[in-house]
Amino acid sequence: NRSIAGRKFSPARDNSRLSGAQQSQIRQQYAAQIENLDSLFGRILAKLEATGQAANTLVAVTSDHGEQLGEQNVWGKKQPWEPSLRVPLVVSGPGVAKGREVEVPVSTLDVVGTFLDRAGAKVRGQEATSLEPLLRAGKPPDEA
């Protein structure tokens, strides 16, 4: 990845198991993976735009887990610490407020609830909550 090549990635302050150079290389590889995913995702969005479907498509980008990148001598997702628990959630599409940042904790299960809500589907026993109130313009209910 051209934009990653030559960039310096700081090692974790509290990692003593790997050298700074090794940590930097691992972090650089992780950043390259994210950049590749971003590029592929951009191609999907471009295809939606080119086929006229973007204005009618709800897009959600999230992850199943965060990543420890050497913090507290841990690599991967082995411990339930903050870097492993928090994941990004970005939603875009019709009816979604642009530029909105919400501090209300949600579950990735709620993404499913939101898509079901948008589709008008009702599922018995569904534990997910729709994020619709958080996506609309105006103050989210729990932040008002």
Side-chain angles (χ1 to χ4, degrees), residues 94-129:
V96 177
K98 294 193 184 314
R100 148 123 341 116
E101 290 185 31
V102 176
E103 296 296 324
V104 176
V106 299
S107 167
T108 52
L109 291 174
D110 298 337
V111 175
V112 175
T114 305
F115 278 93
L116 289 171
D117 187 22
R118 282 279 176 115
K122 301 291 181 207
V123 178
R124 271 188 290 196
Q126 173 69 19
E127 294 182 21
T129 302

mmCIF file of all heavy atoms in Angstrom, residues 94-129:
data_model
loop_
_atom_site.group_PDB
_atom_site.id
_atom_site.type_symbol
_atom_site.label_atom_id
_atom_site.label_comp_id
_atom_site.label_asym_id
_atom_site.label_seq_id
_atom_site.Cartn_x
_atom_site.Cartn_y
_atom_site.Cartn_z
ATOM 1 N N PRO A 94 -30.555 7.036 3.175
ATOM 2 C CA PRO A 94 -31.736 7.890 3.264
ATOM 3 C C PRO A 94 -32.256 7.959 4.697
ATOM 4 O O PRO A 94 -32.338 6.956 5.395
ATOM 5 C CB PRO A 94 -32.744 7.209 2.331
ATOM 6 C CG PRO A 94 -32.232 5.841 2.097
ATOM 7 C CD PRO A 94 -30.765 5.862 2.341
ATOM 8 N N GLY A 95 -32.539 9.190 5.142
ATOM 9 C CA GLY A 95 -33.082 9.381 6.479
ATOM 10 C C GLY A 95 -32.046 9.390 7.590
ATOM 11 O O GLY A 95 -32.390 9.484 8.759
ATOM 12 N N VAL A 96 -30.770 9.310 7.234
ATOM 13 C CA VAL A 96 -29.707 9.315 8.235
ATOM 14 C C VAL A 96 -29.089 10.711 8.273
ATOM 15 O O VAL A 96 -28.678 11.237 7.239
ATOM 16 C CB VAL A 96 -28.610 8.265 7.913
ATOM 17 C CG1 VAL A 96 -27.482 8.342 8.923
ATOM 18 C CG2 VAL A 96 -29.214 6.873 7.876
ATOM 19 N N ALA A 97 -29.039 11.300 9.462
ATOM 20 C CA ALA A 97 -28.460 12.640 9.621
ATOM 21 C C ALA A 97 -26.985 12.607 9.240
ATOM 22 O O ALA A 97 -26.239 11.757 9.725
ATOM 23 C CB ALA A 97 -28.633 13.114 11.057
ATOM 24 N N LYS A 98 -26.576 13.521 8.381
ATOM 25 C CA LYS A 98 -25.177 13.567 7.935
ATOM 26 C C LYS A 98 -24.293 14.181 9.029
ATOM 27 O O LYS A 98 -24.665 15.157 9.657
ATOM 28 C CB LYS A 98 -25.063 14.385 6.658
ATOM 29 C CG LYS A 98 -25.764 13.724 5.489
ATOM 30 C CD LYS A 98 -25.370 14.372 4.195
ATOM 31 C CE LYS A 98 -26.088 13.830 3.003
ATOM 32 N NZ LYS A 98 -26.212 12.436 2.861
ATOM 33 N N GLY A 99 -23.140 13.582 9.250
ATOM 34 C CA GLY A 99 -22.186 14.119 10.198
ATOM 35 C C GLY A 99 -22.513 13.895 11.663
ATOM 36 O O GLY A 99 -21.815 14.391 12.532
ATOM 37 N N ARG A 100 -23.550 13.167 11.945
ATOM 38 C CA ARG A 100 -23.973 12.956 13.333
ATOM 39 C C ARG A 100 -23.022 12.034 14.068
ATOM 40 O O ARG A 100 -22.581 11.031 13.526
ATOM 41 C CB ARG A 100 -25.371 12.356 13.337
ATOM 42 C CG ARG A 100 -25.591 11.458 14.491
ATOM 43 C CD ARG A 100 -26.631 11.548 15.512
ATOM 44 N NE ARG A 100 -27.359 12.686 15.792
ATOM 45 C CZ ARG A 100 -28.665 12.774 15.618
ATOM 46 N NH1 ARG A 100 -29.335 11.807 15.057
ATOM 47 N NH2 ARG A 100 -29.300 13.836 16.005
ATOM 48 N N GLU A 101 -22.665 12.388 15.289
ATOM 49 C CA GLU A 101 -21.911 11.520 16.185
ATOM 50 C C GLU A 101 -22.784 11.285 17.404
ATOM 51 O O GLU A 101 -23.286 12.234 17.994
ATOM 52 C CB GLU A 101 -20.589 12.163 16.603
ATOM 53 C CG GLU A 101 -19.592 12.241 15.482
ATOM 54 C CD GLU A 101 -18.251 12.777 15.943
ATOM 55 O OE1 GLU A 101 -17.889 12.548 17.114
ATOM 56 O OE2 GLU A 101 -17.585 13.426 15.133
ATOM 57 N N VAL A 102 -22.954 10.031 17.778
ATOM 58 C CA VAL A 102 -23.807 9.667 18.898
ATOM 59 C C VAL A 102 -22.952 8.997 19.962
ATOM 60 O O VAL A 102 -22.167 8.102 19.663
ATOM 61 C CB VAL A 102 -24.936 8.712 18.433
ATOM 62 C CG1 VAL A 102 -25.779 8.253 19.597
ATOM 63 C CG2 VAL A 102 -25.798 9.397 17.378
ATOM 64 N N GLU A 103 -23.106 9.411 21.191
ATOM 65 C CA GLU A 103 -22.333 8.847 22.300
ATOM 66 C C GLU A 103 -23.099 7.756 23.046
ATOM 67 O O GLU A 103 -22.572 7.150 23.959
ATOM 68 C CB GLU A 103 -21.950 9.961 23.281
ATOM 69 C CG GLU A 103 -21.031 11.001 22.678
ATOM 70 C CD GLU A 103 -19.680 10.440 22.265
ATOM 71 O OE1 GLU A 103 -19.161 9.542 22.962
ATOM 72 O OE2 GLU A 103 -19.145 10.881 21.233
ATOM 73 N N VAL A 104 -24.348 7.506 22.653
ATOM 74 C CA VAL A 104 -25.163 6.491 23.315
ATOM 75 C C VAL A 104 -24.617 5.107 22.977
ATOM 76 O O VAL A 104 -24.443 4.786 21.796
ATOM 77 C CB VAL A 104 -26.642 6.598 22.854
ATOM 78 C CG1 VAL A 104 -27.486 5.497 23.462
ATOM 79 C CG2 VAL A 104 -27.198 7.962 23.183
ATOM 80 N N PRO A 105 -24.322 4.272 23.975
ATOM 81 C CA PRO A 105 -23.837 2.921 23.669
ATOM 82 C C PRO A 105 -24.918 2.098 22.970
ATOM 83 O O PRO A 105 -26.090 2.141 23.353
ATOM 84 C CB PRO A 105 -23.523 2.315 25.042
ATOM 85 C CG PRO A 105 -23.489 3.455 25.987
ATOM 86 C CD PRO A 105 -24.355 4.526 25.412
ATOM 87 N N VAL A 106 -24.516 1.381 21.937
ATOM 88 C CA VAL A 106 -25.424 0.488 21.215
ATOM 89 C C VAL A 106 -24.722 -0.848 21.021
ATOM 90 O O VAL A 106 -23.538 -0.977 21.276
ATOM 91 C CB VAL A 106 -25.855 1.070 19.844
ATOM 92 C CG1 VAL A 106 -26.600 2.385 20.018
ATOM 93 C CG2 VAL A 106 -24.673 1.257 18.920
ATOM 94 N N SER A 107 -25.463 -1.816 20.560
ATOM 95 C CA SER A 107 -24.917 -3.138 20.284
ATOM 96 C C SER A 107 -24.874 -3.360 18.779
ATOM 97 O O SER A 107 -25.710 -2.822 18.045
ATOM 98 C CB SER A 107 -25.817 -4.197 20.939
ATOM 99 O OG SER A 107 -25.496 -5.480 20.462
ATOM 100 N N THR A 108 -23.932 -4.157 18.326
ATOM 101 C CA THR A 108 -23.916 -4.477 16.898
ATOM 102 C C THR A 108 -25.165 -5.261 16.510
ATOM 103 O O THR A 108 -25.558 -5.257 15.347
ATOM 104 C CB THR A 108 -22.647 -5.267 16.517
ATOM 105 O OG1 THR A 108 -22.508 -6.390 17.377
ATOM 106 C CG2 THR A 108 -21.411 -4.394 16.608
ATOM 107 N N LEU A 109 -25.818 -5.904 17.469
ATOM 108 C CA LEU A 109 -27.095 -6.568 17.187
ATOM 109 C C LEU A 109 -28.144 -5.558 16.728
ATOM 110 O O LEU A 109 -29.052 -5.891 15.973
ATOM 111 C CB LEU A 109 -27.617 -7.300 18.424
ATOM 112 C CG LEU A 109 -26.844 -8.524 18.871
ATOM 113 C CD1 LEU A 109 -27.404 -9.049 20.185
ATOM 114 C CD2 LEU A 109 -26.888 -9.601 17.805
ATOM 115 N N ASP A 110 -28.006 -4.306 17.197
ATOM 116 C CA ASP A 110 -28.969 -3.275 16.829
ATOM 117 C C ASP A 110 -28.901 -2.914 15.351
ATOM 118 O O ASP A 110 -29.857 -2.361 14.806
ATOM 119 C CB ASP A 110 -28.757 -2.031 17.693
ATOM 120 C CG ASP A 110 -28.979 -2.313 19.173
ATOM 121 O OD1 ASP A 110 -29.686 -3.292 19.492
ATOM 122 O OD2 ASP A 110 -28.434 -1.564 20.007
ATOM 123 N N VAL A 111 -27.797 -3.219 14.695
ATOM 124 C CA VAL A 111 -27.723 -3.014 13.242
ATOM 125 C C VAL A 111 -28.745 -3.919 12.563
ATOM 126 O O VAL A 111 -29.476 -3.492 11.667
ATOM 127 C CB VAL A 111 -26.289 -3.270 12.719
ATOM 128 C CG1 VAL A 111 -26.239 -3.179 11.207
ATOM 129 C CG2 VAL A 111 -25.300 -2.298 13.355
ATOM 130 N N VAL A 112 -28.833 -5.159 13.026
ATOM 131 C CA VAL A 112 -29.835 -6.094 12.492
ATOM 132 C C VAL A 112 -31.234 -5.553 12.756
ATOM 133 O O VAL A 112 -32.088 -5.537 11.862
ATOM 134 C CB VAL A 112 -29.675 -7.494 13.131
ATOM 135 C CG1 VAL A 112 -30.789 -8.420 12.679
ATOM 136 C CG2 VAL A 112 -28.313 -8.077 12.809
ATOM 137 N N GLY A 113 -31.478 -5.073 13.984
ATOM 138 C CA GLY A 113 -32.783 -4.514 14.322
ATOM 139 C C GLY A 113 -33.147 -3.331 13.440
ATOM 140 O O GLY A 113 -34.308 -3.157 13.058
ATOM 141 N N THR A 114 -32.149 -2.538 13.089
ATOM 142 C CA THR A 114 -32.376 -1.369 12.238
ATOM 143 C C THR A 114 -32.757 -1.790 10.821
ATOM 144 O O THR A 114 -33.698 -1.246 10.234
ATOM 145 C CB THR A 114 -31.110 -0.482 12.215
ATOM 146 O OG1 THR A 114 -30.759 -0.160 13.564
ATOM 147 C CG2 THR A 114 -31.332 0.775 11.410
ATOM 148 N N PHE A 115 -32.038 -2.770 10.272
ATOM 149 C CA PHE A 115 -32.367 -3.245 8.924
ATOM 150 C C PHE A 115 -33.748 -3.903 8.895
ATOM 151 O O PHE A 115 -34.507 -3.708 7.946
ATOM 152 C CB PHE A 115 -31.292 -4.199 8.397
ATOM 153 C CG PHE A 115 -30.098 -3.495 7.818
ATOM 154 C CD1 PHE A 115 -28.983 -3.219 8.595
ATOM 155 C CD2 PHE A 115 -30.094 -3.080 6.501
ATOM 156 C CE1 PHE A 115 -27.895 -2.557 8.071
ATOM 157 C CE2 PHE A 115 -29.009 -2.413 5.958
ATOM 158 C CZ PHE A 115 -27.900 -2.149 6.753
ATOM 159 N N LEU A 116 -34.076 -4.665 9.928
ATOM 160 C CA LEU A 116 -35.407 -5.271 10.002
ATOM 161 C C LEU A 116 -36.480 -4.189 10.077
ATOM 162 O O LEU A 116 -37.512 -4.272 9.405
ATOM 163 C CB LEU A 116 -35.509 -6.209 11.211
ATOM 164 C CG LEU A 116 -34.723 -7.502 11.113
ATOM 165 C CD1 LEU A 116 -34.726 -8.233 12.458
ATOM 166 C CD2 LEU A 116 -35.296 -8.411 10.023
ATOM 167 N N ASP A 117 -36.233 -3.158 10.890
ATOM 168 C CA ASP A 117 -37.171 -2.048 11.015
ATOM 169 C C ASP A 117 -37.353 -1.348 9.676
ATOM 170 O O ASP A 117 -38.479 -1.074 9.256
ATOM 171 C CB ASP A 117 -36.647 -1.070 12.069
ATOM 172 C CG ASP A 117 -37.632 0.037 12.406
ATOM 173 O OD1 ASP A 117 -38.844 -0.129 12.178
ATOM 174 O OD2 ASP A 117 -37.174 1.077 12.937
ATOM 175 N N ARG A 118 -36.264 -1.084 8.982
ATOM 176 C CA ARG A 118 -36.349 -0.436 7.665
ATOM 177 C C ARG A 118 -37.133 -1.276 6.667
ATOM 178 O O ARG A 118 -37.822 -0.749 5.805
ATOM 179 C CB ARG A 118 -34.951 -0.180 7.101
ATOM 180 C CG ARG A 118 -34.236 1.008 7.680
ATOM 181 C CD ARG A 118 -34.718 2.295 7.008
ATOM 182 N NE ARG A 118 -34.112 3.457 7.622
ATOM 183 C CZ ARG A 118 -33.287 4.270 6.991
ATOM 184 N NH1 ARG A 118 -32.940 4.049 5.747
ATOM 185 N NH2 ARG A 118 -32.807 5.320 7.623
ATOM 186 N N ALA A 119 -37.008 -2.592 6.783
ATOM 187 C CA ALA A 119 -37.702 -3.490 5.859
ATOM 188 C C ALA A 119 -39.154 -3.723 6.271
ATOM 189 O O ALA A 119 -39.910 -4.354 5.538
ATOM 190 C CB ALA A 119 -36.971 -4.828 5.783
ATOM 191 N N GLY A 120 -39.532 -3.220 7.444
ATOM 192 C CA GLY A 120 -40.901 -3.435 7.926
ATOM 193 C C GLY A 120 -41.131 -4.841 8.446
ATOM 194 O O GLY A 120 -42.261 -5.280 8.587
ATOM 195 N N ALA A 121 -40.060 -5.553 8.734
ATOM 196 C CA ALA A 121 -40.174 -6.942 9.195
ATOM 197 C C ALA A 121 -40.290 -6.992 10.716
ATOM 198 O O ALA A 121 -39.661 -6.216 11.427
ATOM 199 C CB ALA A 121 -38.960 -7.741 8.748
ATOM 200 N N LYS A 122 -41.083 -7.897 11.187
ATOM 201 C CA LYS A 122 -41.232 -8.138 12.623
ATOM 202 C C LYS A 122 -40.794 -9.563 12.903
ATOM 203 O O LYS A 122 -41.254 -10.499 12.261
ATOM 204 C CB LYS A 122 -42.687 -7.955 13.070
ATOM 205 C CG LYS A 122 -43.246 -6.576 12.782
ATOM 206 C CD LYS A 122 -42.594 -5.539 13.662
ATOM 207 C CE LYS A 122 -43.194 -4.174 13.373
ATOM 208 N NZ LYS A 122 -42.319 -3.097 13.645
ATOM 209 N N VAL A 123 -39.893 -9.723 13.855
ATOM 210 C CA VAL A 123 -39.394 -11.050 14.201
ATOM 211 C C VAL A 123 -39.670 -11.284 15.680
ATOM 212 O O VAL A 123 -39.237 -10.503 16.530
ATOM 213 C CB VAL A 123 -37.875 -11.163 13.909
ATOM 214 C CG1 VAL A 123 -37.352 -12.526 14.326
ATOM 215 C CG2 VAL A 123 -37.597 -10.898 12.435
ATOM 216 N N ARG A 124 -40.414 -12.339 15.973
ATOM 217 C CA ARG A 124 -40.697 -12.658 17.375
ATOM 218 C C ARG A 124 -39.416 -13.045 18.097
ATOM 219 O O ARG A 124 -38.560 -13.746 17.549
ATOM 220 C CB ARG A 124 -41.690 -13.813 17.482
ATOM 221 C CG ARG A 124 -43.132 -13.337 17.488
ATOM 222 C CD ARG A 124 -44.008 -14.487 17.790
ATOM 223 N NE ARG A 124 -43.942 -15.354 16.607
ATOM 224 C CZ ARG A 124 -44.774 -16.308 16.335
ATOM 225 N NH1 ARG A 124 -45.726 -16.602 17.152
ATOM 226 N NH2 ARG A 124 -44.660 -17.019 15.246
ATOM 227 N N GLY A 125 -39.264 -12.563 19.320
ATOM 228 C CA GLY A 125 -38.095 -12.901 20.105
ATOM 229 C C GLY A 125 -36.856 -12.110 19.735
ATOM 230 O O GLY A 125 -35.782 -12.362 20.268
ATOM 231 N N GLN A 126 -37.009 -11.162 18.840
ATOM 232 C CA GLN A 126 -35.879 -10.345 18.405
ATOM 233 C C GLN A 126 -35.424 -9.459 19.558
ATOM 234 O O GLN A 126 -36.200 -8.694 20.103
ATOM 235 C CB GLN A 126 -36.288 -9.492 17.196
ATOM 236 C CG GLN A 126 -35.286 -8.489 16.743
ATOM 237 C CD GLN A 126 -34.053 -9.124 16.125
ATOM 238 O OE1 GLN A 126 -34.061 -10.257 15.717
ATOM 239 N NE2 GLN A 126 -32.989 -8.373 16.088
ATOM 240 N N GLU A 127 -34.162 -9.560 19.956
ATOM 241 C CA GLU A 127 -33.635 -8.763 21.057
ATOM 242 C C GLU A 127 -33.002 -7.461 20.595
ATOM 243 O O GLU A 127 -32.703 -6.598 21.411
ATOM 244 C CB GLU A 127 -32.623 -9.579 21.850
ATOM 245 C CG GLU A 127 -33.259 -10.757 22.556
ATOM 246 C CD GLU A 127 -32.269 -11.546 23.387
ATOM 247 O OE1 GLU A 127 -31.210 -10.996 23.745
ATOM 248 O OE2 GLU A 127 -32.564 -12.706 23.675
ATOM 249 N N ALA A 128 -32.785 -7.323 19.325
ATOM 250 C CA ALA A 128 -32.149 -6.114 18.802
ATOM 251 C C ALA A 128 -33.131 -4.952 18.821
ATOM 252 O O ALA A 128 -34.330 -5.129 18.657
ATOM 253 C CB ALA A 128 -31.658 -6.358 17.383
ATOM 254 N N THR A 129 -32.585 -3.769 19.001
ATOM 255 C CA THR A 129 -33.355 -2.537 18.984
ATOM 256 C C THR A 129 -33.016 -1.782 17.707
ATOM 257 O O THR A 129 -31.872 -1.766 17.276
ATOM 258 C CB THR A 129 -32.969 -1.666 20.201
ATOM 259 O OG1 THR A 129 -33.221 -2.412 21.385
ATOM 260 C CG2 THR A 129 -33.743 -0.382 20.234
#
